[in-house]
Every structure is written in C-alpha cells, then in structure tokens.
Amino acid sequence: MWRAEQGRGRGRVAGHDQETWSARALCRTADPDELFVDGAAQNQAKALCTGCPVRTECLAHALDQRIDHGVWGGMTDRERRALLRRRPTVTSWRRLLNAARMEYERQPHDGNRPLRQAVS
C-alpha cells in the first residue's frame, strides 16, 4: 500500500525503512483508487496482499503510524483498529511482528498456520 499512499500526497516517516520494503510491495504499481476503498471492495484490495513479500513490514508501518484508511499488510482499517484495541501496550509493531515472524520461522510447522495467529 506504500505506493498508493504516496499517490495520496503522504510522505515518508523518518526512522523507517519504507524505501527498502516498499520497492518490493506488490501494490507499488496499483491504482490508489483501487486500494483505498470501503466495504466489500476491500476484499479485492486484501487479495493483492496475499502473496506480497513485504506484507509484515507494510502492516507494521500502518499500525505504528496509526494509518486510518486503506488496506495495509492484508488488514482493513477496521481490522487494524480492533488489533490496536486488543494490544494497547505495544509500542513497536515493527519489533513485535519481526519477532513473531522469526519465532514462527524457527518452529517446525506444516505451513498452514498464518503469522497473524502468532500476534492476535
């Protein structure tokens, strides 16, 4: 969702490595009007995130920056708000999600357990 947000006139946040991960985002060439949508159209936007190699980085950015619109890292604004309410003490979603990913990758699994379950 990074490219789409740039198209909306928003800039970078100092201290984050968006330039690194955003260059690999599947949505970098998508039309912002197709990504910042409401209602059922969000499912199509979320589908783009499914195979994205930087889904975790994108979600962490949206959560850390409290971005209030659009689909980021496969989650809608409503889903992100619910997660923020469930985990009000998290100070860095980037650190939390990176740690969860590393733990997930260390554990033997059948590949069917999504990372999202590790942080919910």
Side-chain angles (χ1 to χ4, degrees), residues 52-112:
C52 186
V54 294
R55 184 175 178 172
T56 303
E57 292 86 344
C58 180
L59 177 58
H61 173 74
L63 291 167
D64 283 336
Q65 300 306 312
R66 304 298 195 261
I67 296 173
D68 60 355
H69 192 66
V71 173
W72 288 77
M75 293 183 82
T76 66
D77 50 348
R78 180 177 284 177
E79 292 167 334
R80 290 192 311 276
R81 282 193 304 272
L83 182 56
L84 289 167
R85 281 191 303 271
R86 283 194 309 270
R87 304 289 300 269
T89 60
V90 175
T91 57
S92 172
W93 285 95
R94 182 179 176 199
R95 277 196 312 266
L96 177 71
L97 292 175
N98 283 338
R101 180 179 22 202
M102 288 175 25
E103 179 65 25
Y104 175 80
E105 290 171 353
R106 277 194 296 257
Q107 296 178 357
H109 56 84
D110 63 7
N112 292 326

Side-chain angles (χ1 to χ4, degrees), residues 8-36:
R8 294 274 173 136
R10 298 175 184 149
R12 287 189 299 264
V13 176
H16 284 266
D17 61 346
Q18 302 92 319
E19 290 181 7
T20 302
W21 66 260
S22 64
R24 299 186 334 255
L26 291 179
C27 65
R28 72 187 174 279
T29 59
D31 179 0
D33 291 333
E34 294 177 8
L35 299 171
F36 288 89

